[in-house]
């Protein structure tokens, strides 16, 4: 997100791609601006759940009957980074994309798998570069 220095807040001159609020995420997805990774955290559990649901619904809007085959909800406290990466790199079946949600990803903490964050970053970078 770019800084608003020197510009009035909410100005029409905001940089393309800049988010004003997290509620913009599902709208941006519907407009075709999709990222490979979304990370949500905070203390407002209800708002986080609602944002996650809205985001997943926007990402899976065109999956139709294939939604269940292309959507995984994982408990990160019992799931390894390797499992997450494998699911995330699996090609979607009959839908434009695959969505993997990981709640409470303990493998991203210092007590989790030591190289998990680096492996996820490398996987993301490879996907962005088209080497997936």
């Amino acid at each position: 997100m770019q800084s608003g220095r020197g510009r009035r807040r909410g100005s029409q001159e905001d940089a393309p791609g800049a988010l004003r609020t997290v509620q913009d995420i599902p709208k941006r997805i519907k407009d075709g601006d999709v990222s490979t990774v979304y990370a949500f955290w905070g203390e407002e559990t209800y708002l986080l759940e609602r944002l996650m649901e809205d985001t997943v619904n926007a990402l899976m809007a065109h999956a139709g009957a294939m939604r269940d085959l292309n959507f995984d909800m994982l408990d990160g406290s019992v799931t390894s980074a390797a499992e997450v990466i494998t699911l995330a790199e699996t090609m979607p079946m009959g839908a434009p994309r695959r969505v993997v949600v990981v709640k409470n990803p303990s493998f991203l903490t210092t007590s989790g798998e030591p190289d998990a964050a680096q492996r996820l970053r490398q996987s993301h970078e490879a996907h962005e570069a088209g080497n997936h």
Side-chain angles (χ1 to χ4, degrees), residues 12 22 28 64 70 76 78 102 109-110 116-117:
Q12 292 298 324
V22 293
R28 297 274 300 277
N70 293 295
V78 295
V102 184
T109 64
T110 56

Side-chain angles (χ1 to χ4, degrees), residues 47-127:
L47 295 176
L48 287 170
E49 284 293 320
R50 186 67 191 262
L51 176 61
M52 188 268 309
E53 288 172 15
D54 291 347
T55 301
V56 168
N57 288 336
L59 288 166
M60 300 301 288
H62 301 291
M66 303 304 274
R67 179 183 170 121
D68 289 344
L69 292 174
N70 293 295
F71 176 70
D72 290 288
M73 175 88 65
L74 306 172
D75 177 355
S77 66
V78 295
T79 305
S80 71
E83 291 174 280
V84 172
I85 291 168
T86 298
L87 284 171
E89 291 181 338
T90 302
M91 295 299 292
M93 294 175 44
R97 68 182 50 91
R98 173 171 196 71
V99 175
V100 179
V101 174
V102 184
K103 292 187 175 186
N104 305 312
S106 62
F107 55 81
L108 292 179
T109 64
T110 56
S111 62
E113 299 175 37
D115 63 337
Q118 179 63 27
R119 289 172 46 217
L120 287 171
R121 187 177 305 109
Q122 288 171 343
S123 178
H124 171 70
E125 289 169 356
H127 183 275

Side-chain angles (χ1 to χ4, degrees), residues 12-57:
Q12 292 298 324
E13 298 173 354
D14 283 345
L19 291 174
R20 290 194 183 102
T21 68
V22 293
Q23 289 85 2
D24 287 345
I25 294 170
K27 180 186 179 312
R28 297 274 300 277
I29 292 168
K30 290 175 185 172
D31 291 342
D33 186 6
V34 178
S35 293
T36 55
V37 175
Y38 294 92
F40 305 132
W41 67 93
E43 296 180 14
E44 297 290 338
T45 306
Y46 173 78
L47 295 176
L48 287 170
E49 284 293 320
R50 186 67 191 262
L51 176 61
M52 188 268 309
E53 288 172 15
D54 291 347
T55 301
V56 168
N57 288 336

